[in-house]
Amino acid sequence: MILRLAKKIVFLLVLCLIGSCNDPLEGLQLQLAIDDDSNISTITVQFVDTNSSTEIPFEDISISVSGPNATSILSQNLNRRFSVNEFGFLTLVVKSQSEVPIQLDFTVTAKLSNYLTTSRNITTTNAEAQYVYINMVNLSSPPEGISVQEINFNTDSQGATTQEMSFQTYSYDQEGASVTIPNGTIMKDAKGRPVTGNVTAQLVYFSPNSPQALEAFPGGLDNISLREEEGYFVFETAGLVAINMHSETKEVKTFSEPIKVEISISSATSNPENNYEPVKAGDIIPVWSLNEGASSWDSEGNALVYEQSGELYATLSVSHLSYWNLDWWFSSCNTSSINMSFDSNFKSGYYYTRIYNSQTGQYLSSGYKYFADQEMIYMYRVPQNTSLEIKIFDGYYWCNNTKEIATSESFDACQAQSISFTATGDTSPLEEISFDLSATCPNNPDVVFYPSAYIYYKDPSGCRYWQYLGYMKGGVFSTNKLKVGTEYQFYTSVWVGGRWMGYEDFNYTISDNEITKRVEIPNDKAAGACF
């Protein structure tokens, strides 16, 4: 019975257990419960602005979940009504009766006024906890690598343009795109009805040479679903655009004839179909458009690279509005687990990391992962027959305080069994702080609960975003990102016995390098969990 309780209960007291109050649980509003039939795993999604100087109205974000296994994904209230809380977090739940890990694929799409609609493809299982983040692009204040241009024009009573319209955006290292709309083109909404009157048109360009821009690539460059292909794939992009048009009452979705979109091709772009030689005039690049309803990319044929005034371009014939991009694609291996080795100076912990194609230097993906010597790193949907490189950073990307501290050797993630990392900078000078937390029932000290939770914090530097501190599992956690004697603000989501009890944010001053606490649950908090 005791072992069964310890296994089934997810008792998230987290850092309140280490509080200095007489009652360690004072102020923590939760009820303990057991759901022996539950098999819950959670995904925490954090929303951030790609431009760290702007602020998101989190609770106004509209969320939808789609994709192959979307029906298996629920909100924290175990329904399909999804929302982002005031702290910028969305909690998702996988509820399954299976005791065997099952892989699940789904897409989270986020919409917000004055922000570009974006999405993230997520792969998880029913047996793991996962943290991901979604980068939102503020159209009034985009980050480096993303440029925006907006114009207004009028259509007649039939929805047709009265003259040729052209606009462009070239603001990042002479890269960009342009749109040309022929005279007489009829604007149509999703039902084929004309869009009349004043129309606002918006062009957004994403540079393939900017990691900040590619972090906001819809769905991500890895874990790509292609409409006409089975499986999941990885993109190597030569440029991405998002085109939106609308009147005061309708969105433009299609045209009576295609419009022309010209995308510049950077001289730094390599062609993976030509031994990664620089792209040249005459090369062919596949064209794709995002099918938002199906959470997949549709093939739109190929584009021919041509030279004009010493610069390279490709032209797309666009018949409907969506994200459009120039991308080569690769098959991926499903999962990969690789042993890591570091030198003695590296301090284990959760770090922000980026994965690059080591042959081209192009960004592939990023996230927060746990790194330690002789530990395993798990990688989903990595490209086959491709050399990769992992770069590890200390600090928090959105707070503009990251510095590279380690780089891996080049490796094929589908084949490698181990990789080594070389230190490129000093890790955090702070000492490691460890936690060992547990709680017992008031009338039965043999029943012991061990908390598990995602933990986020804000440090005194004043960065407004919650920073990912790590994942506490079974009451055990360590970090080198906190300093003894310093007060921090903490955030965690509270889960008990497969039920979401709410979230907690509180301040706490770190008192020691080793914090070990076992507390007795007060009677008024123990109902339903203690026998």
Side-chain angles (χ1 to χ4, degrees):
M1 179 69 171
I2 294 173
L3 290 176
R4 184 173 153 195
L5 286 173
K7 181 179 180 181
K8 290 289 185 180
I9 297 293
V10 182
F11 178 49
L12 302 186
L13 303 180
V14 197
L15 293 178
C16 280
L17 280 168
I18 58 178
S20 59
C21 52
N22 294 329
D23 178 357
L25 299 175
E26 183 177 344
L28 186 61
Q29 298 178 355
L30 62 89
Q31 295 177 346
L32 302 180
I34 294 178
D35 182 359
D36 283 342
D37 294 325
S38 69
N39 187 4
I40 293 288
S41 64
T42 60
I43 303 101
T44 296
V45 183
Q46 183 179 14
F47 291 84
V48 296
D49 194 313
T50 49
N51 187 337
S52 60
S53 64
T54 55
E55 202 163 329
I56 299 178
F58 295 117
E59 292 175 290
D60 293 336
I61 299 174
S62 174
I63 298 294
S64 62
V65 177
S66 59
N69 304 114
T71 56
S72 298
I73 307 302
L74 305 175
S75 72
Q76 70 268 19
N77 294 315
L78 303 183
N79 57 41
R80 295 278 297 169
R81 295 186 293 273
F82 303 101
S83 61
V84 180
N85 70 21
E86 63 189 277
F87 299 110
F89 292 99
L90 166 69
T91 300
L92 302 174
V93 176
V94 180
K95 191 171 184 180
S96 170
Q97 300 300 319
S98 175
E99 296 293 337
V100 178
I102 300 173
Q103 187 164 297
L104 301 165
D105 295 284
F106 63 96
T107 301
V108 175
T109 300
K111 295 183 178 182
L112 178 63
S113 178
N114 201 44
Y115 279 78
L116 202 58
T117 296
T118 193
S119 60
R120 178 71 180 264
N121 298 331
I122 298 174
T123 297
T124 190
T125 73
N126 60 326
E128 69 173 326
Q130 191 173 354
Y131 160 71
V132 299
Y133 56 86
I134 292 180
N135 290 281
M136 304 286 287
V137 178
N138 187 323
L139 295 169
S140 300
S141 183
E144 181 181 283
I146 297 178
S147 51
V148 181
Q149 182 62 47
E150 186 175 287
I151 67 166
N152 291 279
F153 59 88
N154 290 312
T155 62
D156 62 21
S157 60
Q158 302 301 313
T161 55
T162 57
Q163 61 180 337
E164 181 179 277
M165 304 301 303
S166 181
F167 59 107
Q168 62 184 19
T169 170
Y170 286 90
S171 61
Y172 177 75
D173 198 24
Q174 303 304 310
E175 300 173 5
S178 65
V179 172
T180 300
I181 306 172
N183 181 29
T185 301
I186 298 174
M187 308 280 140
K188 300 179 181 181
D189 66 11
K191 294 183 178 181
R193 299 172 299 193
V195 178
T196 61
N198 185 263
V199 174
T200 299
Q202 188 178 76
L203 172 64
V204 184
Y205 169 78
F206 293 69
S207 169
N209 299 313
S210 167
Q212 292 92 331
L214 296 184
E215 284 202 314
F217 192 98
L221 289 162
D222 56 349
N223 209 7
I224 295 296
S225 174
L226 306 181
R227 173 68 75 88
E228 299 176 0
E229 301 286 341
E230 292 187 4
Y232 287 85
F233 304 88
V234 177
F235 273 160
E236 177 102 8
T237 186
L240 168 76
V241 293
I243 310 168
N244 300 297
M245 299 183 191
H246 63 86
S247 68
E248 289 186 2
T249 58
K250 296 180 181 179
E251 287 189 37
V252 177
K253 288 297 184 181
T254 62
F255 311 99
S256 59
E257 61 179 298
I259 65 174
K260 184 177 78 171
V261 177
E262 185 180 67
I263 300 178
S264 67
I265 307 298
S266 168
S267 59
T269 302
S270 300
N271 186 344
E273 295 182 348
N274 188 26
N275 297 317
Y276 289 103
E277 292 292 325
V279 171
K280 64 183 185 304
D283 283 355
I284 299 294
I285 307 177
V287 179
W288 307 88
S289 68
L290 180 63
N291 187 319
E292 295 182 7
S295 303
S296 64
W297 290 88
D298 292 344
S299 173
E300 300 287 354
N302 297 304
L304 176 68
V305 178
Y306 58 92
E307 185 176 342
Q308 181 175 297
S309 301
E311 302 292 335
L312 296 177
Y313 299 90
T315 296
L316 316 183
S317 181
V318 172
S319 58
H320 60 91
L321 293 185
S322 176
Y323 283 95
W324 286 70
N325 78 89
L326 298 165
D327 277 280
W328 296 276
W329 56 285
F330 304 87
S331 296
S332 66
C333 57
N334 193 28
T335 58
S336 180
S337 56
I338 304 172
N339 186 67
M340 302 178 290
S341 62
F342 293 86
D343 59 36
S344 58
N345 294 325
F346 184 82
K347 294 182 178 181
S348 61
Y350 283 89
Y351 292 95
Y352 170 69
T353 179
R354 285 178 176 168
I355 301 175
Y356 294 85
N357 182 322
S358 62
Q359 293 175 278
T360 66
Q362 188 175 89
Y363 165 95
L364 175 62
S365 64
S366 61
Y368 277 80
K369 294 181 179 293
Y370 181 78
F371 290 92
D373 188 44
Q374 303 308 313
E375 292 282 346
M376 304 294 289
I377 183 173
Y378 297 91
M379 304 177 69
Y380 294 107
R381 312 296 194 209
V382 289
Q384 294 183 4
N385 304 314
T386 304
S387 294
L388 302 179
E389 179 183 61
I390 299 175
K391 292 186 178 182
I392 302 174
F393 299 84
D394 198 9
Y396 201 60
Y397 167 59
W398 299 283
C399 297
N400 292 323
N401 63 353
T402 53
K403 62 178 181 179
E404 184 181 322
I405 58 173
T407 301
S408 76
E409 61 182 318
S410 179
F411 67 100
D412 183 336
C414 297
Q415 301 292 330
Q417 295 182 345
S418 64
I419 54 174
S420 61
F421 287 79
T422 301
T424 56
D426 293 332
T427 57
S428 170
L430 304 180
E431 297 181 17
E432 184 172 284
I433 296 173
S434 61
F435 302 89
D436 188 350
L437 311 178
S438 59
T440 61
C441 288
N443 299 319
N444 189 351
D446 292 329
V447 177
V448 182
F449 300 113
Y450 299 94
S452 295
Y454 302 97
I455 304 174
Y456 304 84
Y457 76 109
K458 289 183 180 180
D459 63 29
S461 67
C463 177
R464 71 174 179 278
Y465 283 118
W466 291 98
Q467 304 179 43
Y468 185 50
L469 189 62
Y471 183 71
M472 175 180 287
K473 185 175 182 179
V476 177
F477 176 72
S478 64
T479 178
N480 59 2
K481 299 182 183 298
L482 304 177
K483 184 178 180 180
V484 173
T486 301
E487 182 181 39
Y488 299 90
Q489 188 177 2
F490 294 95
Y491 166 90
T492 186
S493 198
V494 179
W495 285 85
V496 179
R499 298 181 185 180
W500 184 69
M501 299 298 173
Y503 49 80
E504 292 291 330
D505 70 299
F506 52 93
N507 291 354
Y508 176 72
T509 300
I510 302 300
S511 59
D512 200 349
N513 290 92
E514 296 183 1
I515 300 173
T516 301
K517 289 288 180 96
R518 172 167 292 187
V519 300
E520 182 179 284
I521 304 171
N523 287 317
D524 62 338
K525 305 290 185 180
C530 297
F531 297 90

